[in-house]
Amino acid sequence: MTGERVLYGVAGSPGIGIGHSLVYKEKPMGSLDREIADPKMELERYHNAVDTFCRITQVKADRVAEMVGKEQGDIIRCQTDMIRDPYMNGQVEGRIALGQSAEAALSASCDLFIDLFTASEDEITRQRAADIRDMRGGMLRLLLGLPEMDFSALQPGTVLMAEELSPSAVSVLNSANVAGIVLGKGGPTSHSAILARALEIPAVLGVEGRVLDTAPGEPVIVDGNRGCVVFSPSPEMRSVYESRQNDFLQLRASLRVFVGRETRTADGERIQLAANAGSVGDATRAAGYGCDGIGLLRTEFLYLDRTSQPGEEEQFHAYRQILSAMRGKRVIIRTLDVGGDKNLPYLGQIKEENPFLGCRGLRFSLREEDMFRAHLRAVLRASAFGQAQLLLPMVTGVEEIHRAREILEEEKEVLRHRGVAFDEHLPMGVMVETVAACLMADVFSKEADFFSLGTNDLTQYVLGVDRGNARVAHLYSYFHPGVLRLIRQVLETAQSTGTKVSMCGEAAAETALTPVLLAFGLKEFSVAPVSLLPVRKTISLWSQKEAKEVTEEAMSLETEEEVRTFLKAHEK
Ligand code: PEP
Ligand code: MG
């Protein structure tokens, strides 16, 4: 095939890679079934291979940990745990005892785990099947005496194309030589994607169409920002991408210095910068950039893409995992915020005429009390494993907060009776995302331990603009003076009552608004992991004095367009 063409996939690792394709096809291993002379000797052969595999893998893991980071090293090291897993061992040994070859026994036992993981409704668990396949490949090569492809010595400008690439193959890639990765399988939560991001190699995964049909040496552009691959680009396309690549590299270099740094204004004031997370993967990514905990955990992630609700146990494990990943830093767990645009038929939600004005957030939880109680117990139990805080969404009346607190106290009593550990002082905050909550902030502050400004919803309620309706999208804006006045009012009220306020809506990540939020007195921002570094950098460029000057002028303007144009012109 010749001529420019574009294939689409998912963005697995950001950046733009320009180079030539190298198509990697896994060689078939041939038949693994073979007569064995003596099961005892076969078992010994298997255990020797396991020892060698663990030694080699440990060396690889140490190298990755040294070059990229401990967490990335652990991704490789986990394969030694898999092969030594007692259940896995029992399966393999049982099969060898029945006369199977070590290769066939191992392969069949791995299939059991692969099928189990692949059937999971959880995306992260599904991706773990790739780790098992990687481990099996390494073990089989050892047992069969086959050489391993040397991925560490590729030509500069290589775009590696494959159906699937194992984490251990990605871990040895040299980012100086590999311009990009294009895979037919995999998603952003796969370990190969995590490693590609850590190595800063642009990657597009889950590409539709036949990646392996690419001609070797064909010019390719990998757009890991948009999730597309351009084959045989025209000179014009190539020059557009060269300039995008340049911009991206410059931006990345300017942000890199902010990884792991404290967030401070230009005049040295410490600002809290936390991350919004909708999965365990988000929390891990955020921890990689360095952040002051999770400012918003959207618990809906546990409820989506399934046919029945998660039980208390499953929720408890997920929250505990995130609390552990944050190593003692605060994790604000928001109770289920369904309704609005998130409709889960298995929860018995009824189709509503105006779902954003309907039974959503806390309203739904108070109606489905049993479910809410299990949800709260899961959070309470997880609170024994880190610094958890509870957050209530979509609140309009103080009586709702009272009722939620009553239920929380009753569930604490249940756990006390059961002798289960939890944080007795688990703080309970309120999302300020309705106009009523803004206007009642003084009253709410008597009941809530903290506020979290949800500007995504607040903007739609203040302006009467559905946040998901493309026809009115041009009217939806945080730069509207009405929205900004209300945010200022909440921050002033909270200051007078001594209530902590964080902002977790997308406005916190809008860097043109940063001086305004600082001048209003916002001390805690919570943004998507990808926005952590840009926001940290922007905060570092503003002093309170400068921010106040710009804000004073911005707030004297009368229209959304005037405010937006003015603030964009002053953006640093
Ligand atoms: C918000 O409304 O600003 C918010 C953070 O919550 P969500 O986007 O999940 O509704
Ligand atoms: Mg909201």
Side-chain angles (χ1 to χ4, degrees):
M1 254 188 274
T2 49
E4 182 176 293
R5 59 199 196 284
V6 183
L7 287 185
Y8 295 88
V10 285
S13 173
I16 311 278
I18 303 176
H20 291 87
S21 68
L22 180 122
V23 183
Y24 170 70
K25 290 182 190 164
E26 189 96 51
K27 287 198 182 70
M29 300 254 181
S31 169
L32 305 175
D33 288 322
R34 164 175 68 70
E35 288 277 328
I36 61 168
D38 174 8
K40 253 201 189 133
M41 276 169 61
E42 193 64 7
L43 205 56
E44 201 180 315
R45 199 169 79 82
Y46 173 72
H47 284 302
N48 287 340
V50 170
D51 289 344
T52 312
F53 175 80
C54 289
R55 248 194 338 269
I56 295 173
T57 306
Q58 185 65 45
V59 171
K60 275 189 200 166
D62 288 347
R63 197 174 52 214
V64 174
E66 197 178 307
M67 281 170 49
V68 193
K70 184 184 171 302
E71 257 174 61
Q72 287 74 21
D74 286 345
I75 289 176
I76 305 298
R77 199 188 323 276
C78 76
Q79 292 185 17
T80 63
D81 299 336
M82 290 174 184
I83 192 68
R84 291 203 191 276
D85 177 84
Y87 184 71
M88 170 73 83
N89 236 332
Q91 284 288 327
V92 178
E93 286 176 0
R95 287 186 157 85
I96 293 177
L98 290 173
Q100 277 192 3
S101 69
E103 295 86 338
L106 173 79
S107 192
S109 307
C110 286
D111 279 343
L112 280 181
F113 283 85
I114 291 169
D115 290 348
L116 200 73
F117 287 161
T118 310
S120 166
E121 280 166 356
D122 171 45
E123 164 72 11
I124 294 179
T125 310
R126 271 200 307 276
Q127 295 292 353
R128 293 301 79 87
D131 296 318
I132 301 270
R133 279 196 289 272
D134 191 9
M135 179 271 276
R136 174 172 64 184
M139 275 293 295
L140 288 181
R141 274 190 297 275
L142 274 176
L143 286 164
L144 297 167
L146 298 173
E148 228 183 306
M149 158 101 181
D150 187 2
F151 285 100
S152 63
L154 299 173
Q155 292 297 313
T158 297
V159 173
L160 196 50
M161 329 261 315
E163 200 44 36
E164 194 173 15
L165 205 56
S166 65
S168 55
V170 178
S171 74
V172 297
L173 295 178
N174 180 347
S175 53
N177 295 347
V178 182
I181 300 173
V182 179
L183 303 181
K185 285 192 181 152
T189 53
S190 66
H191 276 154
S192 296
I194 293 171
L195 288 166
R197 285 195 290 273
L199 291 163
E200 299 189 349
I201 299 175
V204 179
L205 315 177
V207 175
E208 47 163 42
R210 297 196 45 85
V211 172
L212 298 183
D213 287 349
T214 312
E218 186 174 0
V220 185
I221 296 174
V222 182
D223 183 343
N225 298 333
R226 292 178 177 76
C228 65
V229 189
V230 187
F231 297 86
S232 296
S234 63
E236 298 76 35
M237 180 71 96
R238 196 183 161 95
S239 113
V240 166
Y241 265 107
E242 277 168 353
S243 125
R244 282 185 188 163
Q245 186 184 44
N246 221 358
D247 292 349
F248 180 83
L249 292 176
Q250 273 183 18
L251 182 70
R252 173 174 263 172
S254 76
L255 293 178
R256 192 172 289 139
V257 293
F258 290 92
V259 172
R261 264 216 216 161
E262 278 188 354
T263 306
R264 289 188 184 274
T265 59
D267 48 346
E269 185 179 352
R270 177 79 163 93
I271 300 292
Q272 295 289 312
L273 180 61
N276 293 346
S279 66
V280 180
D282 280 350
T284 322
R285 213 164 308 141
Y289 293 125
C291 62
D292 298 303
I294 300 295
L296 169 65
L297 177 66
R298 289 185 166 99
T299 53
E300 297 82 67
F301 78 94
L302 281 172
Y303 291 73
L304 302 175
D305 298 326
R306 55 193 294 159
T307 49
S308 62
Q309 54 177 290
E312 179 183 325
E313 227 33 53
E314 181 181 341
Q315 293 184 54
F316 160 64
H317 285 293
Y319 305 149
R320 189 177 70 170
Q321 198 180 347
I322 291 174
L323 280 157
S324 309
M326 294 317 292
R327 301 204 171 98
K329 287 187 182 159
R330 187 185 47 162
V331 176
I332 300 181
I333 304 175
R334 183 175 70 183
T335 62
L336 188 63
D337 189 17
V338 286
D341 53 351
K342 296 171 206 131
N343 198 340
L344 305 176
Y346 64 81
L347 293 181
Q349 281 177 283
I350 299 164
K351 217 168 164 33
E352 294 171 313
E353 214 33 56
N354 289 300
F356 276 113
L357 305 179
C359 189
R360 62 172 299 206
L362 185 60
R363 295 173 182 176
F364 181 81
S365 293
L366 292 180
R367 185 185 276 240
E368 298 295 325
E369 217 180 276
D370 287 345
M371 195 183 101
F372 188 44
R373 285 177 184 277
H375 192 38
L376 292 180
R377 283 196 302 276
V379 175
L380 278 166
R381 287 169 56 196
S383 72
F385 297 87
Q387 202 194 326
Q389 302 194 352
L390 193 68
L391 180 61
L392 306 173
M394 185 66 183
V395 179
T396 50
V398 73
E399 65 281 14
E400 294 166 324
I401 314 176
H402 277 147
R403 183 64 193 135
R405 194 170 293 277
E406 251 170 36
I407 297 175
L408 180 68
E409 290 306 321
E410 284 167 16
E411 291 313 313
K412 282 184 181 174
E413 195 52 33
V414 169
L415 293 183
R416 270 185 218 109
H417 258 99
R418 289 191 200 152
V420 176
F422 64 88
D423 177 5
E424 284 281 353
H425 306 290
L426 177 78
M428 190 180 86
V430 167
M431 289 284 293
V432 175
E433 56 183 343
T434 63
V435 181
C438 294
L439 299 173
M440 299 299 288
D442 56 332
V443 177
F444 280 19
S445 63
K446 293 182 209 154
E447 296 299 323
D449 296 314
F450 62 93
F451 291 153
S452 189
L453 266 163
T455 51
N456 303 344
D457 277 312
L458 186 59
T459 304
Q460 74 165 344
Y461 293 133
V462 172
L463 301 178
V465 175
D466 183 336
R467 65 192 258 189
N469 183 342
R471 293 181 71 197
V472 286
H474 61 290
L475 298 174
Y476 181 94
S477 169
Y478 325 117
F479 294 98
H480 192 291
V483 176
L484 294 178
R485 284 180 189 204
L486 205 52
I487 292 173
R488 180 175 59 188
Q489 185 179 324
V490 172
L491 283 156
E492 281 172 0
T493 308
Q495 211 154 32
S496 70
T497 57
T499 311
K500 279 196 167 189
V501 185
S502 114
M503 179 181 283
C504 63
E506 283 300 312
E510 171 53 78
T511 46
L513 268 185
T514 304
V516 176
L517 301 178
L518 288 172
F520 285 175
L522 186 71
K523 307 284 183 224
E524 296 187 22
F525 293 63
S526 187
V527 300
V530 63
S531 298
L532 283 168
L533 298 183
V535 171
R536 183 171 297 147
K537 179 184 169 194
T538 307
I539 290 175
S540 79
L541 298 173
W542 286 97
S543 69
Q544 280 292 359
K545 182 168 170 291
E546 270 184 308
K548 286 212 165 86
E549 283 163 11
V550 165
T551 302
E552 199 170 314
E553 205 167 333
M555 293 305 285
S556 71
L557 302 170
E558 295 181 356
T559 68
E560 185 275 337
E561 192 183 345
E562 283 169 353
V563 177
R564 180 167 35 84
T565 311
F566 174 80
L567 288 174
K568 291 268 182 197
H570 286 80
E571 189 172 3
K572 293 196 181 192

